[in-house]
Amino acid sequence: MYRQIGFKKTTVADIARGASMSPANVYRFFASKQAIEEAVVADLFKQVSAAATLAALLSGSALERLTAALSAIAQLHEHRLENDRKLHELVAAAVRGNWAVALSYADRIRGLVRTIIAGGQASGELRPGSPMAMTCCLLESMDGYLNPSRIIATTVSPTFDEMMDFCASALHHVPWVQSIDLGADLSPQAVAQG
């Protein structure tokens, strides 16, 4: 029903009729219409987090795992926006409204990303620092691609790949090497001559 007519227009009577039962019987399983909406959103978020986790497991380096996980999330939300707009509206409303299921989903994604970042730091691939702070920075940077309430039908600029490349560069650990020859003449005249 939510897919056909949208969650705002769907009544408990509509749901009961679609399930061939009385509205009173629906309330035996769900305390309210909001509880039904939360159950639907929880299932949709469970699918997204499972796809992100699987994508992360199938990739190699920490940066590849991060890219695969975040790409899976972005693609699923974009697909829902394009093909199930009314369900997308429900998921976006849950995120905007800070529903408990949306907060729980966000925690799962943060946990997945934090684990990948910590592993990348342990292997020396990713720069040192607080894995949680780096997770928050990465997810904030990618929010326009990952947050259903911010994904819009028009093309986002920069593209997902461009933004992820930028974020990967920020996360990548490059050991500091002294690049200045301490004996070099750094006077303005010498620098101007090359």
Side-chain angles (χ1 to χ4, degrees):
M1 296 304 301
Y2 290 157
R3 181 175 279 131
Q4 291 172 2
I5 62 175
F7 76 103
K8 290 180 181 177
K9 292 182 180 179
T10 300
T11 65
V12 173
D14 294 329
I15 294 168
R17 193 171 29 262
S20 300
M21 63 174 62
S22 70
N25 200 29
V26 171
Y27 285 117
R28 289 182 55 220
F29 298 96
F30 299 97
S32 64
K33 183 179 177 225
Q34 174 75 28
I36 298 169
E37 293 165 357
E38 288 175 1
V40 171
V41 171
D43 186 56
L44 294 171
F45 278 146
K46 182 178 174 185
Q47 294 170 18
V48 173
S49 60
T53 301
L54 180 61
L57 292 174
L58 298 176
S59 298
S61 71
L63 290 174
E64 290 169 341
R65 293 175 68 214
L66 284 170
T67 300
L70 298 183
S71 179
I73 294 168
Q75 288 173 10
L76 285 171
H77 288 314
E78 284 179 26
H79 182 268
R80 189 177 307 112
L81 173 64
E82 293 169 8
N83 299 294
D84 275 328
R85 185 170 294 272
K86 293 190 183 314
L87 281 181
H88 179 82
E89 291 171 3
L90 174 60
V91 172
V95 171
R96 276 191 306 275
N98 290 319
W99 295 5
V101 294
L103 297 175
S104 176
Y105 162 76
D107 286 343
R108 283 194 308 274
I109 298 304
R110 261 192 306 277
L112 173 64
V113 171
R114 183 174 26 86
T115 299
I116 296 170
I117 287 176
Q121 289 174 319
S123 71
E125 179 187 352
L126 301 183
R127 68 177 22 176
S130 164
M132 183 52 91
M134 292 170 74
T135 295
C136 291
C137 289
L138 174 60
L139 292 177
E140 185 68 29
S141 298
M142 298 301 293
D143 193 57
Y145 309 91
L146 305 175
N147 182 338
S149 70
R150 291 199 49 212
I151 296 171
I152 54 175
T154 60
T155 304
V156 178
S157 184
T159 66
F160 174 89
D161 289 337
E162 291 168 333
M163 182 59 87
M164 194 62 213
D165 285 346
F166 174 80
C167 292
S169 295
L171 292 169
H172 186 71
H173 180 61
V174 179
W176 185 78
V177 177
Q178 190 169 0
S179 61
I180 299 174
D181 179 1
L182 294 179
D185 180 6
L186 296 177
S187 66
Q189 296 82 10
V191 172
Q193 292 177 355

